[in-house]
Structure formats: structure tokens, C-alpha cells
Amino acid sequence: MNATQPIRLGTRRSRLAVAQSGLVARELERVSGRPVELVQITSEGDTNRASLASLGGAGVFATSLREALLAGECDLLVHSLKDLPVEQAPGLIIAATPARVDPRDVVITRDGTPLAELPKGSRVGTGSPRRVAQVLRANPGVDVVDIRGNIDSRMQQVRDSTLDAVVLAAAGLTRVDADGGETPTVAGLYVEAQNLPGWPTAAGQASLAVETAADADPQLLAWIGELDAPLTRFAVTLERAILGGIEAGCHAPVGAHAWTSDSHVHVRVDVYGADHHEDVTLDHSEPIAAFESLIEGYIQARGSGAAAGSSDLLVRAREIGDGLARRLLENGAADIVTREAAPTT
């Protein structure tokens, strides 16, 4: 790399995207000793106000950024991992996944009424098919409203009574407030965090993906590798393997969350049908043999590009995810996913 030029980090223009890219930029400056500048790029998801479901969901926020990276307009990208298609884009690699923050969803209301106790006909906003299903499981009497827009605009719809509640990611609230603003984003509103075992979130939620070219400068890859968190990478790789195994997109009505403790992995997956009688749920725990050795091997490989992706740690994560996907399909998830993917007229 040219030692006189700053590292160029491509990001969407939204407040959240800029905030989370800024977090990565500061860490990259710390490990590299080089300045990092943000290159703001407009994606289709930022300009097209149609629902995410109608846009196809997967990749709607990533395509323009990836085109800019491949064209040499920037050196790396920062994405919300949950918005990335499971299939890796040709010529690119996810070079790091920094430590995941709070993965839960939260429900925002004016008066603190829990979601389950909102009166019949209350208007709850979300653009996610998964969250639609979860809201209706918690309270079948509410009306779910398809919404788009940034965090601030969604909050405002609650404040001005256009909506009675919105569902958001806790991680997004944490990151937009990380710039040290005096007034928290949720000021004057109430936050109800949802319990992960009963409300699993999107695969990769609360994790960032730092993406760059597969043939990027080895020094850049090494610097990016310093930002990587092995336990986060293991968990989100497993979650995304489940999505890929059941052939569900990143905006399908599927909640998948994995976490580790004491050399064990724990996984909760819900595939949501047309009503709760069709839902397919899976709870799974298993020990990971030689887990510490797998992590050590991964740490040695990270920062070397594609080698990290083929490390034994991530191979094991994919094996577990693939096995769980097969169980879900055998238990009825195939019918749900096929129906959700069918074209409408």
C-alpha cells in the first residue's frame, strides 16, 4: 500500500452505517497507525423506499458498495452482517468480524406498555418478515405496519403517535449513540428488550463484517485481521450456515442465534410459518472438541485472507450449521421456505 495515502473505508450514508464504520475506522487507525477516511456510497436500499421483502432483501444494501470496492474506489467495506447474502461475492472476502454487541431486538413504545399487553389494533412498525411473525406470536391483536427509514425516523413515528411501537436491533441503538451525543436516541421513549431464547434474531445480527478484496495488500489484510473476534466469527458462521442450508435469504422469516460457553455451542432457531402451528423450532447444544486449539489455529490464520475462511474453526461451524439445517428441513422447514420463496402475482 502507498504509505502516504489514507486507508479508504466504504460505507453507506445512513447515520447508523456511518457510526459503525467510524467505530471500525478508529480501531483500524489504532492497529495500523495510518489515517482512515470514510467514502460514503449510496446503495439501492437507501434510495428505493419499497419494502425489503419486495426488493428481495439479500444484498440490497451491499451491491453498490461491493461494486465500488471492486472498482478500486475504496480499500475495504463495513456491513451489518445480517444484511449480507450467505454466498460470498466473487473476488471478495470477509476479512474480520469484530466482537458482536447486544444481539437482541428491542420494542420501542411511548409509555412502556409491553408488546404482549398492547391493546388490540395497536400499530407496530417493522420491515422484517421475521419480526412480523414474532410480533404476532407475542400479541396477535396488533396491526403490523411495514416501514422503512432510519432509526430517527422510526422513533419519530412513535413519538408523533403514527405508530404505537417499533421493533429495532439493540446493537443499532448502541452504535448510533457511540459518538458521544448528549441526548440518547431513545430519549423520552421506553425500551423493552426481547429474550433471545424465545425471540432469536437474524443470523449475524449485531455483528459487523469487514470486507475487502481477496487479493488485497497483505499488510491491509493483516491489519484488518487484528479487528477480528474468533468467538463471534464462529457463532455467526454457524448461523449463516443454517440459513444457507435451508436456502433462506437474510430477510426470510427465520431467527437463528448461536453462542458459546465452556467449550460448548448453543443454538436456537425458529422458522416461522403462516401461523404459530406451522413454526419449526430447534434448540441445540453440544461440546466442541479441542475448541481452544481450533481458536488458536484460527487466530494464526486470520489476517492472511482466504486461509481464515477455510480454518478448522470455521469448517466446524459450517458442519454444525449444515447438520442443524438438515434437521430443520426434515421437521418441516422446507415447506415454509419454499412457500416464502414462491413468486407472487
Side-chain angles (χ1 to χ4, degrees), residues 133 137 271-281 331-332 336 339:
R137 301 302 184 272
V271 183
Y272 298 99
D275 62 56
H276 71 277
H277 298 293
E278 295 184 358
D279 295 351
V280 178
T281 296
N331 291 339
I336 298 172
R339 183 169 63 245

Side-chain angles (χ1 to χ4, degrees), residues 74-156:
C74 54
D75 302 306
L76 69 156
L77 304 171
V78 173
H79 306 278
S80 293
L81 182 59
K82 69 180 180 63
D83 293 329
L84 285 186
V86 172
E87 301 79 13
Q88 184 60 51
L92 302 178
I93 57 169
I94 294 176
T97 53
R100 175 149 62 178
V101 295
D102 188 346
R104 296 175 297 175
D105 277 347
V106 295
V107 177
I108 310 295
T109 58
R110 284 185 301 281
D111 61 5
T113 301
L115 172 63
E117 299 175 17
L118 287 173
K120 184 176 181 179
S122 296
R123 292 166 58 83
V124 180
T126 178
S128 159
R130 169 186 60 82
R131 288 172 175 158
V132 170
Q134 290 172 321
V135 166
L136 293 176
R137 301 302 184 272
N139 188 336
V142 302
D143 294 330
V144 181
V145 180
D146 184 49
I147 60 171
R148 292 289 310 281
N150 59 34
I151 287 176
D152 294 317
S153 68
R154 296 184 187 207
M155 297 285 196
Q156 189 56 42

Side-chain angles (χ1 to χ4, degrees), residues 1-339:
M1 294 185 67
N2 187 330
T4 65
Q5 297 295 322
I7 300 170
R8 301 165 300 163
L9 192 161
T11 178
R12 291 171 54 209
R13 297 176 180 271
S14 73
R15 180 186 175 199
L16 174 57
V18 170
Q20 61 194 24
S21 293
L23 293 171
V24 171
R26 290 190 287 276
E27 283 299 294
L28 188 55
E29 287 178 335
R30 179 184 63 80
V31 301
S32 69
R34 295 273 297 277
V36 178
E37 68 175 19
L38 299 187
V39 179
Q40 296 189 10
I41 300 163
T42 301
S43 72
E44 181 186 4
D46 297 312
T47 58
N48 191 326
R49 307 319 298 168
S51 70
L52 290 179
S54 68
L55 290 175
V60 69
F61 294 117
T63 301
S64 296
L65 277 74
R66 285 171 159 174
E67 290 172 350
L69 177 59
L70 291 169
E73 297 173 18
C74 54
D75 302 306
L76 69 156
L77 304 171
V78 173
H79 306 278
S80 293
L81 182 59
K82 69 180 180 63
D83 293 329
L84 285 186
V86 172
E87 301 79 13
Q88 184 60 51
L92 302 178
I93 57 169
I94 294 176
T97 53
R100 175 149 62 178
V101 295
D102 188 346
R104 296 175 297 175
D105 277 347
V106 295
V107 177
I108 310 295
T109 58
R110 284 185 301 281
D111 61 5
T113 301
L115 172 63
E117 299 175 17
L118 287 173
K120 184 176 181 179
S122 296
R123 292 166 58 83
V124 180
T126 178
S128 159
R130 169 186 60 82
R131 288 172 175 158
V132 170
Q134 290 172 321
V135 166
L136 293 176
R137 301 302 184 272
N139 188 336
V142 302
D143 294 330
V144 181
V145 180
D146 184 49
I147 60 171
R148 292 289 310 281
N150 59 34
I151 287 176
D152 294 317
S153 68
R154 296 184 187 207
M155 297 285 196
Q156 189 56 42
Q157 290 185 70
V158 177
R159 290 189 172 98
D160 65 18
S161 299
T162 302
L163 297 173
D164 298 293
V166 294
V167 187
L168 301 170
L173 299 178
T174 299
R175 288 177 176 139
V176 296
D177 287 338
D179 57 5
E182 293 184 5
T183 305
T185 303
V186 297
L189 299 175
Y190 292 82
V191 180
E192 178 195 1
Q194 302 305 304
N195 187 3
L196 278 172
W199 187 295
T201 48
Q205 181 157 312
S207 177
L208 300 178
V210 184
E211 189 173 48
T212 191
D215 60 355
D217 184 282
Q219 182 60 74
L220 177 62
L221 288 171
W223 285 331
I224 296 173
E226 291 295 314
L227 311 183
D228 193 67
L231 292 181
T232 292
R233 188 65 173 265
F234 175 81
V236 299
T237 297
L238 194 162
E239 293 166 9
R240 285 163 61 80
I242 293 171
L243 274 194
I246 63 175
E247 298 185 352
C250 57
H251 290 281
V254 179
H257 181 66
W259 68 101
T260 58
S261 64
D262 299 324
S263 297
H264 284 66
V265 64
H266 314 278
V267 189
R268 169 64 183 253
V269 187
D270 282 344
V271 183
Y272 298 99
D275 62 56
H276 71 277
H277 298 293
E278 295 184 358
D279 295 351
V280 178
T281 296
L282 183 151
D283 282 295
H284 176 78
S285 295
E286 69 173 84
I288 307 298
F291 195 37
E292 294 299 326
S293 295
L294 293 176
I295 293 171
E296 182 60 33
Y298 175 78
I299 291 173
Q300 293 175 2
R302 71 182 182 183
S304 58
S310 59
S311 68
D312 290 342
L313 179 71
L314 300 193
V315 169
R316 186 71 186 111
R318 295 187 190 101
E319 289 174 348
I320 296 170
D322 290 344
L324 297 180
R326 288 192 292 271
R327 286 173 54 185
L328 289 163
L329 293 172
E330 292 167 357
N331 291 339
D335 294 336
I336 298 172
V337 173
T338 300
R339 183 169 63 245

